[in-house]
Amino acid sequence: MPAGIIPLDLTSLLILATPSIVVLVFLWIAVQYLTVKEVVSLHELPGPPGGWYSPVGHLPQLLDPDVSPQTHEAWVARYGPNFQTFGFGPWDRRLFSLDPAVIKYVLDHQEKYQKGWQARSYVDQAIGDGGLVMAEGGIHRVMRRILQPVFSKKNLDALSPISSLKARELCSILRSLSSHEQTVDVVPHLTRATFDVIGLAGFGYSFEALRGEEDPLYVAFQRLFGSISGFTVRMYLGIYFPWLDEHFPDERVKTIRESRDVIDNTVKRWIQERQAEIGGEKASARADNSPKDLLTLMIQEIVSTAPKTAMVDDLVIAQVNTFLMAGSETTSLTIAWALYYLSTHPNVQSALREECLAIDPDAPNAFVEGIDRLALLEKVVRETLRLTPAVHSTFRQAVEDDIIPLSPPAMGLEAAGRRQGPTGISIRKGQYVHVPFEGLNTLKSVWGEDAHEFRPARWDRLMFSDRDAECEKRGLFGKEEKGRTAWKTWAGLMSFSTGPKACVGMRFALIEIKIFLFHLVREFEFSCPKPIVKRNAMVVRPIVDGENEKGQQLPLLIRPVERH
Ligand code: HEM
C-alpha cells in the first residue's frame, strides 16, 4: 500500500458520505418542490384512503346519491377537484373530477374517451349492438347523424299532443283513486304513462300500460330491462367469459332471449309495415304533413342515408330498445322528483298552479304557445333536474394514453405537495374517468352555499338575461373553439351531459315533463307524508327512508283541486 493512504472500510465510507447524501436528497426535494411539473400522473394525485382493497373500491361513497354530496364536499375540500379513487380492485385506479375543464375535455373527445367495453357488452347483450347509448366510433357517428333530425324541434312539437293525451289519462286515473284525499304511490303510474308516451310517439304503438293491460310486448320490455338492472357475480363472469352465457345460459340470459324473441319479431313487422307505407307515399308523391312517429322518421332517414345498410333491421331494433330504455324511466322519475319537491315546497306549488291555470290546455298550439313559455314551470323543471339528474354519473375509459388539461389555475393540486399546480393530468389507456353529473350540478363554487336546496328563484336572473355569459362564467358552457365543434350544456347543467354523446332525447323529455306537470298541478294538490331518500340503480329512484326493501316508491297525499 502506498505511504500516506489510509485504508477505509465500508462503514467509514458511509459515515464520510452521509453529509453529501443528505445534501443531495435535500436538493432533489427542493427541485421537486420549486419546479412546476407540467403534467402529473394519475397515481401521483392525492386521493381518499382505502378503496384499493375493497372489491368495489370507493364506488359506493361516490355513486350513492344519499351520501355522494357529503363525500364530494369532504374529498374536494381535502384533495382538490381532481383526485384518484379506486373502482373494482387495486388495478382499477380512476380519476374523479369536479373540474369543469376536465369533464368537458373528456366528454368532447369521444375518439379518446369511450364507455367501458364491460358496460357496453353487458347492455348490448340485452338491447342489441349499435343502440345509440352504448355505441361508439363510426357506428355512433352514423346513427347519431341519422337520429338527430328525428328529434328536431318541429317533429317533437308535433308529437306533444300525445303527452297531453297520456297526462290527462293519468289525471283521470288518479282522480278515480283519490276522489277526496288519498295516499298514492305515483311512481308506477308515471312509469307506465311515460312508457305509453314513447310507445305512441316513438313507434305508433299503444302499450296501454297506464290502464294496466298486460300487453305481451310491454311485458317483454319490462322483463328485458329488469334483466340489466341488477348485479351478480355470474353476470360479471359472463362479461369476461361470453362463452359461459352462450353455452350455459342462466335465468337472466334465458329471460333476455325470450324477451328479445317477442320484441324482435314485433319490431321487424313494424319495419316492414313502415317501409311499405313509405314506398306507397313516394309512389303517390303525397306531401304528408301529419306528425309521423319516430320509427317512421328513423326508417326514412336510414333508408335515404344508408340504403344499402344490410343491418337496417338490427340497427332499428337496437334503437327501439334504446329509446324505451333511455327514455321512459329517466322521464317518469324526473316528473316524480318534481312532484316531490313541489310537495315539500307548498308555496312554489301554489304559485305554479296559479301559473298553469291561466293557460287553456285546449287552445290550439297549447304547448308551443302556452305551456312551453311558462316561466315558473321552466324554473321548477330546471331546479329538479339540477338537484336530481336521473343519471347520477357516468364513466369514460381512455382508449389511448393522453394528457387531460386542467382548469387554470390548476385547481387543488397544491394538496399534492406542489407550490404551483401542473396544467395537465396524464392518464393511461384503460383508466377510467368518473363524470359526476349531480356533483357538477351542485358545486357550491358555482351555485352558492344553498347549492343543495330546491330554490327555483335562483333561475330568475339566469334564465332571461345574459344567460350564456353567466353560464360561461360558471365554466360549464361550451364556447366556440378554433376548428372544433363547440358543445353546450342545457341551462349550464350536466343533467343531459354534453359533447357528441349528450342526450339526444332531451327536448322530447322536456316537453313531456312540462306537459305532465302542467296537467297534474292543475288537477291536484300534492303533499309528502313520509321522508324520502334517493337510491341510484341505473337511474336515481325515490325510496321511503327505512323501507329500502320495498324498492322505489313515492307515496304522495293527493287531493283534487277544488275549482270555483
Ligand atoms: C329527464 C330525462 C332524461 C335525462 C335526464 C337523460 C339524460 C341522459 C344522459 C345524462 C345521457 C348521457 C349518458 C352517458 O353519457 O352515459 C343520455 C343519453 C341518451 N339519452 Fe337521455 N335522458 C333523458 C331522456 C331521454 C329520452 C326521452 C330519450 C329518447 C326518447 C333519451 C335518449 C337518449 C339516448 C339515445 C342517449 C345516448 C346518446 C348518444 O350516446 O349519442 N333520453 N341521456
Side-chain angles (χ1 to χ4, degrees), residues 336-380:
W337 282 113
L339 292 179
Y340 166 74
Y341 288 123
L342 291 171
S343 302
T344 48
H345 295 78
N347 293 345
V348 179
Q349 188 184 153
S350 320
L352 181 63
R353 181 166 305 108
E354 220 165 280
E355 186 184 70
C356 292
L357 284 170
I359 298 282
D360 174 7
D362 299 316
N365 277 335
F367 177 74
V368 179
E369 282 170 21
I371 303 172
D372 201 22
R373 295 185 183 182
L374 295 177
L376 183 54
L377 182 59
E378 172 83 24
K379 291 180 216 170
V380 165

Short mmCIF file of all heavy atoms in Angstrom, two decimals, residues 336-380:
data_model
loop_
_atom_site.label_atom_id
_atom_site.label_comp_id
_atom_site.label_asym_id
_atom_site.label_seq_id
_atom_site.Cartn_x
_atom_site.Cartn_y
_atom_site.Cartn_z
N ALA A 336 -91.55 12.49 -11.15
CA ALA A 336 -91.79 12.10 -9.75
C ALA A 336 -90.99 13.01 -8.80
O ALA A 336 -91.52 13.51 -7.80
CB ALA A 336 -91.39 10.64 -9.53
N TRP A 337 -89.71 13.26 -9.13
CA TRP A 337 -88.90 14.12 -8.25
C TRP A 337 -89.44 15.55 -8.22
O TRP A 337 -89.44 16.20 -7.18
CB TRP A 337 -87.43 14.11 -8.68
CG TRP A 337 -86.72 12.86 -8.23
CD1 TRP A 337 -86.23 11.87 -9.01
CD2 TRP A 337 -86.46 12.47 -6.87
NE1 TRP A 337 -85.67 10.87 -8.23
CE2 TRP A 337 -85.80 11.23 -6.92
CE3 TRP A 337 -86.73 13.04 -5.63
CZ2 TRP A 337 -85.39 10.54 -5.77
CZ3 TRP A 337 -86.33 12.36 -4.48
CH2 TRP A 337 -85.67 11.13 -4.56
N ALA A 338 -89.94 16.03 -9.36
CA ALA A 338 -90.51 17.38 -9.38
C ALA A 338 -91.73 17.42 -8.44
O ALA A 338 -91.90 18.36 -7.65
CB ALA A 338 -90.91 17.77 -10.80
N LEU A 339 -92.57 16.37 -8.49
CA LEU A 339 -93.74 16.34 -7.60
C LEU A 339 -93.30 16.29 -6.13
O LEU A 339 -93.91 16.90 -5.25
CB LEU A 339 -94.63 15.13 -7.92
CG LEU A 339 -95.36 15.16 -9.27
CD1 LEU A 339 -96.18 13.89 -9.47
CD2 LEU A 339 -96.26 16.40 -9.38
N TYR A 340 -92.20 15.57 -5.89
CA TYR A 340 -91.68 15.50 -4.51
C TYR A 340 -91.26 16.91 -4.05
O TYR A 340 -91.63 17.36 -2.96
CB TYR A 340 -90.50 14.53 -4.45
CG TYR A 340 -89.71 14.67 -3.17
CD1 TYR A 340 -90.23 14.19 -1.96
CD2 TYR A 340 -88.47 15.30 -3.16
CE1 TYR A 340 -89.53 14.35 -0.78
CE2 TYR A 340 -87.76 15.47 -1.99
CZ TYR A 340 -88.29 14.99 -0.80
OH TYR A 340 -87.59 15.15 0.36
N TYR A 341 -90.48 17.61 -4.91
CA TYR A 341 -90.02 18.95 -4.49
C TYR A 341 -91.20 19.90 -4.33
O TYR A 341 -91.21 20.73 -3.43
CB TYR A 341 -89.01 19.50 -5.51
CG TYR A 341 -87.66 18.80 -5.44
CD1 TYR A 341 -87.12 18.18 -6.56
CD2 TYR A 341 -86.95 18.76 -4.25
CE1 TYR A 341 -85.89 17.53 -6.49
CE2 TYR A 341 -85.72 18.11 -4.17
CZ TYR A 341 -85.20 17.50 -5.29
OH TYR A 341 -84.00 16.85 -5.22
N LEU A 342 -92.21 19.76 -5.21
CA LEU A 342 -93.37 20.64 -5.07
C LEU A 342 -94.14 20.31 -3.78
O LEU A 342 -94.65 21.21 -3.10
CB LEU A 342 -94.29 20.49 -6.28
CG LEU A 342 -93.73 21.05 -7.60
CD1 LEU A 342 -94.62 20.67 -8.78
CD2 LEU A 342 -93.57 22.57 -7.52
N SER A 343 -94.18 19.02 -3.44
CA SER A 343 -94.88 18.62 -2.21
C SER A 343 -94.19 19.19 -0.98
O SER A 343 -94.85 19.52 0.01
CB SER A 343 -94.86 17.09 -2.05
OG SER A 343 -95.46 16.50 -3.15
N THR A 344 -92.86 19.26 -1.05
CA THR A 344 -92.13 19.76 0.13
C THR A 344 -91.95 21.28 0.09
O THR A 344 -91.36 21.85 1.01
CB THR A 344 -90.77 19.04 0.25
OG1 THR A 344 -90.13 19.07 -1.04
CG2 THR A 344 -90.92 17.60 0.66
N HIS A 345 -92.42 21.92 -0.98
CA HIS A 345 -92.34 23.39 -1.09
C HIS A 345 -93.71 23.91 -1.54
O HIS A 345 -93.91 24.31 -2.69
CB HIS A 345 -91.25 23.80 -2.10
CG HIS A 345 -89.89 23.41 -1.65
ND1 HIS A 345 -89.41 22.13 -1.77
CD2 HIS A 345 -88.91 24.13 -1.04
CE1 HIS A 345 -88.18 22.08 -1.26
NE2 HIS A 345 -87.87 23.27 -0.82
N PRO A 346 -94.70 23.88 -0.59
CA PRO A 346 -96.08 24.18 -0.96
C PRO A 346 -96.26 25.56 -1.58
O PRO A 346 -97.14 25.73 -2.43
CB PRO A 346 -96.85 24.06 0.37
CG PRO A 346 -95.85 23.78 1.42
CD PRO A 346 -94.54 23.49 0.82
N ASN A 347 -95.42 26.54 -1.19
CA ASN A 347 -95.60 27.88 -1.78
C ASN A 347 -95.28 27.86 -3.27
O ASN A 347 -95.98 28.48 -4.08
CB ASN A 347 -94.69 28.91 -1.10
CG ASN A 347 -95.12 29.12 0.31
OD1 ASN A 347 -96.23 28.74 0.69
ND2 ASN A 347 -94.23 29.72 1.11
N VAL A 348 -94.22 27.15 -3.63
CA VAL A 348 -93.87 27.05 -5.05
C VAL A 348 -94.99 26.32 -5.77
O VAL A 348 -95.41 26.70 -6.87
CB VAL A 348 -92.52 26.30 -5.23
CG1 VAL A 348 -92.17 26.18 -6.70
CG2 VAL A 348 -91.40 26.96 -4.46
N GLN A 349 -95.52 25.28 -5.14
CA GLN A 349 -96.59 24.50 -5.77
C GLN A 349 -97.82 25.38 -6.06
O GLN A 349 -98.37 25.33 -7.17
CB GLN A 349 -96.98 23.31 -4.87
CG GLN A 349 -97.93 22.36 -5.55
CD GLN A 349 -98.40 21.22 -4.64
OE1 GLN A 349 -99.48 20.69 -4.84
NE2 GLN A 349 -97.61 20.82 -3.67
N SER A 350 -98.21 26.20 -5.07
CA SER A 350 -99.40 27.04 -5.29
C SER A 350 -99.13 28.05 -6.41
O SER A 350 -100.01 28.28 -7.26
CB SER A 350 -99.79 27.85 -4.06
OG SER A 350 -99.65 27.09 -2.95
N ALA A 351 -97.93 28.65 -6.40
CA ALA A 351 -97.63 29.65 -7.44
C ALA A 351 -97.63 28.98 -8.81
O ALA A 351 -98.13 29.55 -9.80
CB ALA A 351 -96.28 30.29 -7.15
N LEU A 352 -97.11 27.78 -8.87
CA LEU A 352 -97.07 27.07 -10.17
C LEU A 352 -98.49 26.75 -10.63
O LEU A 352 -98.83 26.89 -11.81
CB LEU A 352 -96.24 25.78 -10.03
CG LEU A 352 -96.11 24.96 -11.31
CD1 LEU A 352 -95.38 25.74 -12.39
CD2 LEU A 352 -95.34 23.65 -11.05
N ARG A 353 -99.34 26.35 -9.68
CA ARG A 353 -100.74 26.02 -10.04
C ARG A 353 -101.42 27.26 -10.63
O ARG A 353 -102.10 27.18 -11.65
CB ARG A 353 -101.49 25.51 -8.81
CG ARG A 353 -102.93 25.13 -9.08
CD ARG A 353 -103.53 24.33 -7.95
NE ARG A 353 -102.75 23.16 -7.64
CZ ARG A 353 -102.01 23.00 -6.54
NH1 ARG A 353 -101.97 23.96 -5.63
NH2 ARG A 353 -101.33 21.90 -6.35
N GLU A 354 -101.20 28.36 -9.97
CA GLU A 354 -101.80 29.61 -10.46
C GLU A 354 -101.33 29.90 -11.89
O GLU A 354 -102.13 30.25 -12.76
CB GLU A 354 -101.36 30.75 -9.56
CG GLU A 354 -102.46 31.73 -9.26
CD GLU A 354 -102.05 32.61 -8.09
OE1 GLU A 354 -102.17 32.15 -6.94
OE2 GLU A 354 -101.59 33.71 -8.38
N GLU A 355 -100.04 29.72 -12.10
CA GLU A 355 -99.48 30.00 -13.44
C GLU A 355 -100.12 29.06 -14.48
O GLU A 355 -100.50 29.48 -15.57
CB GLU A 355 -97.96 29.80 -13.39
CG GLU A 355 -97.27 30.18 -14.68
CD GLU A 355 -95.77 29.89 -14.66
OE1 GLU A 355 -95.40 28.69 -14.69
OE2 GLU A 355 -94.96 30.81 -14.64
N CYS A 356 -100.24 27.79 -14.11
CA CYS A 356 -100.75 26.79 -15.08
C CYS A 356 -102.24 26.99 -15.35
O CYS A 356 -102.71 26.77 -16.47
CB CYS A 356 -100.50 25.37 -14.58
SG CYS A 356 -98.76 24.96 -14.55
N LEU A 357 -102.99 27.41 -14.31
CA LEU A 357 -104.43 27.58 -14.51
C LEU A 357 -104.75 28.72 -15.47
O LEU A 357 -105.84 28.80 -16.02
CB LEU A 357 -105.13 27.79 -13.16
CG LEU A 357 -105.29 26.50 -12.33
CD1 LEU A 357 -105.77 26.81 -10.91
CD2 LEU A 357 -106.26 25.52 -13.01
N ALA A 358 -103.79 29.60 -15.69
CA ALA A 358 -104.03 30.74 -16.59
C ALA A 358 -103.95 30.33 -18.06
O ALA A 358 -104.25 31.13 -18.94
CB ALA A 358 -103.01 31.83 -16.30
N ILE A 359 -103.54 29.10 -18.33
CA ILE A 359 -103.39 28.64 -19.72
C ILE A 359 -104.51 27.68 -20.06
O ILE A 359 -104.83 26.79 -19.27
CB ILE A 359 -102.03 27.90 -19.89
CG1 ILE A 359 -100.86 28.83 -19.59
CG2 ILE A 359 -101.90 27.26 -21.26
CD1 ILE A 359 -100.54 29.79 -20.69
N ASP A 360 -105.09 27.86 -21.23
CA ASP A 360 -106.15 26.95 -21.66
C ASP A 360 -105.52 25.72 -22.32
O ASP A 360 -104.90 25.83 -23.39
CB ASP A 360 -107.06 27.69 -22.67
CG ASP A 360 -108.11 26.75 -23.27
OD1 ASP A 360 -108.19 25.59 -22.81
OD2 ASP A 360 -108.81 27.19 -24.21
N PRO A 361 -105.66 24.53 -21.70
CA PRO A 361 -105.00 23.36 -22.26
C PRO A 361 -105.57 22.94 -23.61
O PRO A 361 -104.93 22.18 -24.35
CB PRO A 361 -105.23 22.26 -21.22
CG PRO A 361 -106.36 22.73 -20.39
CD PRO A 361 -106.42 24.22 -20.49
N ASP A 362 -106.78 23.42 -23.92
CA ASP A 362 -107.40 23.01 -25.19
C ASP A 362 -107.15 23.98 -26.33
O ASP A 362 -107.60 23.76 -27.46
CB ASP A 362 -108.91 22.84 -25.00
CG ASP A 362 -109.21 21.77 -23.98
OD1 ASP A 362 -108.56 20.71 -24.05
OD2 ASP A 362 -110.05 22.00 -23.09
N ALA A 363 -106.43 25.07 -26.03
CA ALA A 363 -106.16 26.05 -27.09
C ALA A 363 -105.28 25.41 -28.17
O ALA A 363 -104.47 24.54 -27.87
CB ALA A 363 -105.44 27.26 -26.50
N PRO A 364 -105.47 25.85 -29.44
CA PRO A 364 -104.58 25.33 -30.47
C PRO A 364 -103.14 25.73 -30.13
O PRO A 364 -102.91 26.81 -29.61
CB PRO A 364 -105.06 26.01 -31.77
CG PRO A 364 -106.09 27.00 -31.37
CD PRO A 364 -106.44 26.84 -29.95
N ASN A 365 -102.22 24.85 -30.40
CA ASN A 365 -100.81 25.11 -30.07
C ASN A 365 -100.58 25.35 -28.59
O ASN A 365 -99.71 26.14 -28.21
CB ASN A 365 -100.27 26.30 -30.84
CG ASN A 365 -99.83 25.88 -32.23
OD1 ASN A 365 -99.50 24.71 -32.44
ND2 ASN A 365 -99.85 26.82 -33.16
N ALA A 366 -101.37 24.68 -27.73
CA ALA A 366 -101.29 24.95 -26.29
C ALA A 366 -99.87 24.77 -25.76
O ALA A 366 -99.42 25.51 -24.90
CB ALA A 366 -102.23 24.03 -25.53
N PHE A 367 -99.14 23.80 -26.31
CA PHE A 367 -97.79 23.58 -25.77
C PHE A 367 -96.84 24.69 -26.19
O PHE A 367 -96.25 25.39 -25.37
CB PHE A 367 -97.22 22.21 -26.15
CG PHE A 367 -95.82 22.07 -25.63
CD1 PHE A 367 -95.60 21.87 -24.28
CD2 PHE A 367 -94.72 22.22 -26.47
CE1 PHE A 367 -94.32 21.83 -23.76
CE2 PHE A 367 -93.44 22.16 -25.96
CZ PHE A 367 -93.23 21.96 -24.60
N VAL A 368 -96.73 24.85 -27.53
CA VAL A 368 -95.71 25.76 -28.04
C VAL A 368 -95.97 27.20 -27.61
O VAL A 368 -95.05 27.92 -27.19
CB VAL A 368 -95.65 25.67 -29.59
CG1 VAL A 368 -94.61 26.63 -30.15
CG2 VAL A 368 -95.33 24.24 -30.01
N GLU A 369 -97.25 27.59 -27.64
CA GLU A 369 -97.51 28.99 -27.34
C GLU A 369 -97.90 29.25 -25.89
O GLU A 369 -98.00 30.40 -25.47
CB GLU A 369 -98.58 29.52 -28.29
CG GLU A 369 -97.93 29.80 -29.61
CD GLU A 369 -98.90 30.10 -30.72
OE1 GLU A 369 -100.04 30.47 -30.42
OE2 GLU A 369 -98.50 29.93 -31.88
N GLY A 370 -98.14 28.20 -25.15
CA GLY A 370 -98.54 28.40 -23.76
C GLY A 370 -97.59 27.72 -22.78
O GLY A 370 -96.73 28.36 -22.18
N ILE A 371 -97.74 26.41 -22.67
CA ILE A 371 -97.03 25.67 -21.61
C ILE A 371 -95.51 25.87 -21.68
O ILE A 371 -94.85 26.09 -20.66
CB ILE A 371 -97.38 24.16 -21.72
CG1 ILE A 371 -98.89 23.97 -21.64
CG2 ILE A 371 -96.68 23.34 -20.65
CD1 ILE A 371 -99.39 22.58 -21.92
N ASP A 372 -94.96 25.82 -22.88
CA ASP A 372 -93.50 25.91 -23.01
C ASP A 372 -92.98 27.28 -22.58
O ASP A 372 -91.80 27.46 -22.35
CB ASP A 372 -93.10 25.63 -24.48
CG ASP A 372 -91.65 25.21 -24.58
OD1 ASP A 372 -91.10 24.75 -23.56
OD2 ASP A 372 -91.05 25.36 -25.67
N ARG A 373 -93.88 28.27 -22.49
CA ARG A 373 -93.42 29.62 -22.15
C ARG A 373 -93.65 29.96 -20.69
O ARG A 373 -93.40 31.09 -20.27
CB ARG A 373 -94.17 30.64 -23.01
CG ARG A 373 -93.81 30.49 -24.46
CD ARG A 373 -94.45 31.56 -25.27
NE ARG A 373 -94.16 31.38 -26.68
CZ ARG A 373 -94.56 32.20 -27.62
NH1 ARG A 373 -95.28 33.25 -27.30
NH2 ARG A 373 -94.25 31.97 -28.87
N LEU A 374 -94.18 29.01 -19.91
CA LEU A 374 -94.46 29.32 -18.50
C LEU A 374 -93.14 29.41 -17.72
O LEU A 374 -92.39 28.43 -17.64
CB LEU A 374 -95.37 28.25 -17.89
CG LEU A 374 -96.78 28.17 -18.49
CD1 LEU A 374 -97.56 27.03 -17.86
CD2 LEU A 374 -97.52 29.50 -18.29
N ALA A 375 -92.91 30.59 -17.14
CA ALA A 375 -91.59 30.84 -16.54
C ALA A 375 -91.35 29.98 -15.30
O ALA A 375 -90.28 29.37 -15.16
CB ALA A 375 -91.47 32.31 -16.20
N LEU A 376 -92.35 29.91 -14.40
CA LEU A 376 -92.09 29.16 -13.16
C LEU A 376 -91.98 27.66 -13.47
O LEU A 376 -91.16 26.96 -12.87
CB LEU A 376 -93.20 29.44 -12.14
CG LEU A 376 -93.01 28.76 -10.79
CD1 LEU A 376 -91.65 29.09 -10.17
CD2 LEU A 376 -94.12 29.16 -9.80
N LEU A 377 -92.78 27.19 -14.41
CA LEU A 377 -92.69 25.77 -14.78
C LEU A 377 -91.27 25.46 -15.27
O LEU A 377 -90.66 24.46 -14.88
CB LEU A 377 -93.73 25.45 -15.86
CG LEU A 377 -93.80 24.00 -16.33
CD1 LEU A 377 -94.11 23.05 -15.16
CD2 LEU A 377 -94.87 23.82 -17.42
N GLU A 378 -90.75 26.33 -16.10
CA GLU A 378 -89.38 26.14 -16.61
C GLU A 378 -88.38 26.10 -15.44
O GLU A 378 -87.50 25.25 -15.39
CB GLU A 378 -89.06 27.29 -17.57
CG GLU A 378 -87.62 27.38 -18.04
CD GLU A 378 -87.29 26.45 -19.21
OE1 GLU A 378 -88.20 26.07 -19.95
OE2 GLU A 378 -86.09 26.10 -19.35
N LYS A 379 -88.56 27.01 -14.49
CA LYS A 379 -87.61 27.06 -13.37
C LYS A 379 -87.72 25.82 -12.49
O LYS A 379 -86.71 25.30 -12.01
CB LYS A 379 -87.89 28.30 -12.51
CG LYS A 379 -87.55 29.60 -13.20
CD LYS A 379 -87.85 30.78 -12.26
CE LYS A 379 -88.36 31.95 -13.05
NZ LYS A 379 -88.89 33.02 -12.21
N VAL A 380 -88.95 25.35 -12.30
CA VAL A 380 -89.14 24.14 -11.47
C VAL A 380 -88.47 22.94 -12.15
O VAL A 380 -87.80 22.13 -11.51
CB VAL A 380 -90.65 23.88 -11.24
CG1 VAL A 380 -90.92 22.49 -10.71
CG2 VAL A 380 -91.21 24.93 -10.28
#
